[in-house]
Structures are given as C-alpha cells and as structure tokens.
Amino acid sequence: MTRRIFSALLCLAWVTHGFAQTNTPVSAKAQAIHQSAIVVDTHADTPQRFLYENFDIGSSDPNDPGHISLDKARAGNLGAEFFSIWADPVTTKDHFARATFDMIDSVYQQAAKHPDRMMMAFSVADIERAHKEKKLAALMGIEGGHSIENDIHLLRDYYRLGVRYMTLSWSNTNEWADSSGDINNPKVEHHNGLTDFGKQVVLEMNRMGMMVDISHVADKTFYDAIAVSRAPVIASHSSARALTNHPRNMTDDMLRAVAKNGGVVQVNFFNAFVDDSYLQQSEAQKPEREAAVAAAIEKLKASGKTVTYLDYDQQEREWAAKIPRPPLKSLIDHIDHIAKVAGIDHVGLGSDFDGVSGATPQGIDSAADLPKITQALLDRGYSEADIHKVLGGNLLRVFTEVERVSRQMQTETAK
Ligand SMILES: [Zn+2]
C-alpha cells in the first residue's frame, strides 16, 4: 500500500486492456524457467477491493483493471500471495482492530468461495502443498503496527488467525515505531526508532513465527529491528534508494545489513519507487494533486458518502495517468542492484499490486505479466537457479528460518 495524504505519489491510468496481451515476448526458455518456480509475491492490497468493492477474485472480466485475480495469478504462475491487511489510519481511526479483522475475514471469504483454485496458507509447507495442488496459496501480512492497538494480546490473536508478517509501521508513526512517512514532520511524536514495547513486539513476533517486516519504517526503526530480531527480517515491498531516492526505499547500507541478517528485500514495483524520472514528475505534481484529491474527497463526504480507500484510489489514478509509465527496465535495475549489493540470496518480489493506483512499469499490468520479469532476468544473464531464488526461493528460505527460530524460542520458554 502506497498512498496519498502521508507521502502521496501516484499513479497510472485505469488501464483497460486485457491481461492476455503482452508487449514483451517471453521465450519458451523463460516460460519454462518461470513455470517451474514457486512464485511468491509478498504484497498485494487486493483485500481493499474484496472489502470495499465486493470484488470477486474469481472474476474473469477482461476489462477489470485490477492486478490480481485467480485467472491472472494462473497466467503468471503466481503460487503464493501475501495479501495486505491494512487498516487505514485515517478512515478507520478509532477502530483499527475491527478494520483489521474485517480485512482478514475478506481474504478467508475469497478462499471459501474458490476452494478449487485458492487455499489459505500459514506455513512454508502449506505453500508447497498449494503449489502441488495447483492452487493459489493465500497468506496474510498486516501492514502497520497500529493494527495491534498497543496490545500484545491482539498481536497474538492476529497470529492465530493466520497473519504471518507484520510491517512494523505503515506511513504513519505509531506509538512504538517511527515511520519513514512522517519522520520529518515535527508535529508527530517520534521515538528514535523502536520503543521498548516495540522491541518486545519484535521478539514476540519471532517467538510466534510471524515475519518482521521493515518496509515503510524509518531508518532508525530498521536498525533497531534488525538488532533486536532473532530471526531474519523481510522488507515485504521496498526498492533501492541508491537508484531512486525515496525514503521508502533502502540504502545500500541497509541492504547489506539485511544480507548479514539473512533476510530478504522484496522489490516494490511502484513507478515512483523504481524510476527517478517518474518520482520527480510525481513530486512536481504533488501540491496540485493533493489539493485536488482533498477537495474531491471533501465533496464526497459532504454528499454523505462513507469515504474508503477506493475513493482516494480513483482520484489518484486520474493524476497518475498524467505521467508516462517508466520502462520495465527500471524495475529490473532495482532487482539487479539489490542482487549485487546484498547478494542474490536476498532479493525477491513484493509488487504492491492493487495498492499503487495502477502505477506499475510498462508491460506489468497484472500478475499475468510476471513471466516478463523472468525473461528480463534471463536477458541479463541470470541463471535458472538464481531466477528461482528471486521468484520465491529466497522468501521461502527466510520463512523456513523464521519458523525454525520460532520453534527454538518456544522450546526455550517451555523449559
Ligand atoms: Zn505499503
């Protein structure tokens, strides 16, 4: 989830072409490599659509502008998706937990509706089983520590409901973790990274086997988390700051720290995070865009409408359409950079599908286009084994280690 208000940047037109069209040919060799991988994406905001738009993931509407559907997942051999559970800090203020539970329920409802093609998954073993059964493994990650309402009991309840990662903060600093989204806002009370309670949260996540996600957090929160965590961390949807200078992206020093920690950085596809020219145009547009979006939202509120994420999204799409999409090369450059700086064992895919108002690079219109990434990596000389690591192998290794550390910590506690 990337959004206005805090760091608004945006996005692309509501593209209306069918997902089967391709403008980058994928060779038989690339297709074979892609189809033999367990492809894991660690961030999609589709639950906003499930909940607020009544979107059915089984939809086969060729004009649907969304990034994810079961058909698109199948076409792109997407094996596992971590659906983002995001309680909007503005529109769900004062009931974050309820918003979180509603979002979790929306994922289960989709899986219940399509048992032949989709299954809830809570472990590496589940992902592998789903792959064998040719079903999409649906996992969940909470985006933003504000969802736990400063209550460790709620954190444990979320784990029991199946949540397998939590992003320590979204774009808003919460009571225990500073965010990159408002770190320079003097009106926000900051904590110099993680508070003592925040450190307890990280350790409890380690103990339960919930992955610690450092996307969105302030740099100091990142270093605190990596120092405290007993298990490898993930960045569920973050790109490289050396290439695109945005505070949501990770510096080379951070990339090396993740490598040392054994974790993985899952590259975000959002245009403003992977392409400097796009980012600059988006920043230039920002004052006018934010004022226009705010005015449009006020108008909706005045008419008595309950404003949701989708209302913002629609506005943002119109503004994104004014900026040309960057080439796919921009996204591949980020994968390549992280592979060079952190190592091939520490990079993966965290699309931010359905969370960026359509603003993805040319050729990437949905999950069906994932094979183009394999083709592009192959063109750059990556081996089949290395491509498989990027497509999902690295994330599965980290998840396995998180599960192992959890078992170990629970044995220690039991003694
Ligand atoms: Zn996000």
Side-chain angles (χ1 to χ4, degrees):
M1 171 68 56
T2 303
R3 211 189 66 178
R4 73 279 155 179
I5 297 191
F6 294 95
S7 64
L9 317 156
L10 277 294
C11 320
L12 203 262
W14 200 239
V15 268
T16 52
H17 41 74
F19 64 85
Q21 290 174 351
T22 51
N23 47 16
T24 310
V26 176
S27 68
K29 185 179 178 192
Q31 204 49 269
I33 291 173
H34 192 85
Q35 294 298 329
S36 62
I38 298 186
V39 181
V40 183
D41 176 40
T42 45
H43 202 89
D45 283 299
T46 324
Q48 302 288 331
R49 300 195 71 200
F50 299 156
L51 198 57
Y52 298 126
E53 204 178 300
N54 216 11
F55 174 69
D56 183 338
I57 198 168
S59 165
S60 53
D61 176 0
N63 293 320
D64 184 85
H67 288 140
I68 301 266
S69 70
L70 291 174
D71 285 352
K72 289 167 183 173
R74 175 64 58 86
N77 191 35
L78 176 61
E81 181 61 66
F82 281 78
F83 288 103
S84 173
I85 305 300
W86 177 70
D88 187 332
V90 176
T91 60
T92 71
K93 194 171 184 297
D94 304 325
H95 57 275
F96 294 150
R98 195 183 87 202
T100 304
F101 287 129
D102 288 353
M103 207 60 71
I104 289 170
D105 175 69
S106 78
V107 180
Y108 275 88
Q109 288 295 95
Q110 293 294 325
K113 216 182 272 185
H114 303 285
D116 50 333
R117 290 193 286 165
M118 173 177 178
M119 61 177 260
M120 296 304 297
F122 313 103
S123 62
V124 172
D126 285 348
I127 292 173
E128 288 167 348
R129 187 159 60 88
H131 179 72
K132 284 197 189 86
E133 295 178 11
K134 298 192 172 8
K135 292 178 185 171
L136 175 67
L139 297 102
M140 297 177 292
I142 285 180
E143 182 169 23
H146 59 280
S147 274
I148 70 166
E149 297 188 351
N150 308 313
D151 183 356
I152 208 95
H153 308 279
L154 259 184
L155 173 68
R156 287 196 282 264
D157 288 332
Y158 293 145
Y159 178 86
R160 293 181 188 110
L161 280 172
V163 173
R164 289 298 177 266
Y165 78 66
M166 183 168 77
T167 322
L168 300 179
S169 80
W170 182 62
S171 298
N172 56 314
T173 287
N174 53 51
E175 284 92 335
W176 48 270
D178 288 347
S179 169
S180 65
D182 60 16
I183 195 67
N184 295 318
N185 183 347
K187 291 184 193 144
V188 174
E189 188 188 335
H190 291 112
H191 322 288
N192 189 30
L194 278 180
T195 65
D196 287 344
F197 176 73
K199 291 172 186 172
Q200 276 178 44
V201 168
V202 167
L203 287 170
E204 186 61 5
M205 290 169 74
N206 290 161
R207 194 192 64 82
M208 291 187 296
M210 189 188 283
M211 292 184 278
V212 174
D213 177 20
I214 54 73
S215 284
H216 279 284
V217 305
D219 291 7
K220 179 61 163 57
T221 308
F222 165 83
Y223 287 108
D224 284 356
I226 218 155
V228 169
S229 181
R230 290 182 55 182
V233 303
I234 65 166
S236 69
H237 58 311
S238 291
S239 303
R241 209 181 293 176
L243 300 187
T244 309
N245 188 14
H246 191 287
R248 267 288 277 108
N249 287 344
M250 299 173 70
T251 65
D252 285 358
D253 187 64
M254 293 161 93
L255 295 177
R256 283 187 285 266
V258 169
K260 202 173 157 201
N261 158 278
V264 65
V265 176
Q266 306 278 101
V267 174
N268 191 313
F269 298 3
F270 179 39
N271 290 339
F273 295 162
V274 297
D275 189 86
D276 221 38
S277 162
Y278 187 99
L279 173 62
Q280 283 168 27
Q281 292 176 75
S282 177
E283 288 292 318
Q285 185 197 64
K286 193 171 169 180
E288 200 190 346
R289 180 184 66 235
E290 288 189 347
V293 171
I297 295 298
E298 278 314 309
K299 206 172 157 188
L300 285 175
K301 280 185 186 160
S303 72
K305 187 180 186 306
T306 303
V307 172
T308 72
Y309 161 75
L310 293 168
D311 297 304
Y312 286 94
D313 188 60
Q314 195 182 346
Q315 298 294 323
E316 301 287 1
R317 279 173 189 270
E318 290 171 17
W319 283 88
K322 300 171 198 251
I323 309 175
R325 294 168 85 177
L328 176 58
K329 175 186 179 298
S330 296
L331 167 61
I332 306 302
D333 284 348
H334 279 257
I335 297 174
D336 209 26
H337 181 82
I338 296 170
K340 285 196 171 82
V341 175
I344 190 65
D345 292 327
H346 306 284
V347 59
L349 307 178
S351 65
D352 219 346
F353 277 154
D354 288 329
V356 295
S357 305
T360 46
Q362 290 170 31
I364 304 294
D365 297 323
S366 79
D369 295 314
L370 291 169
K372 294 176 187 173
I373 294 175
T374 294
Q375 178 69 59
L377 292 172
L378 194 60
D379 291 345
R380 290 199 191 194
Y382 282 80
S383 68
E384 173 167 358
D386 285 352
I387 292 170
H388 279 189
K389 287 180 179 182
V390 175
L391 292 177
N394 287 335
L395 189 281
L396 293 177
R397 181 202 76 236
V398 169
F399 196 0
T400 301
E401 180 61 10
V402 166
E403 291 174 340
R404 191 195 66 75
V405 170
S406 161
R407 285 193 299 274
Q408 185 185 323
M409 287 176 77
Q410 292 186 32
T411 310
E412 287 168 13
T413 322
K415 272 175 193 163

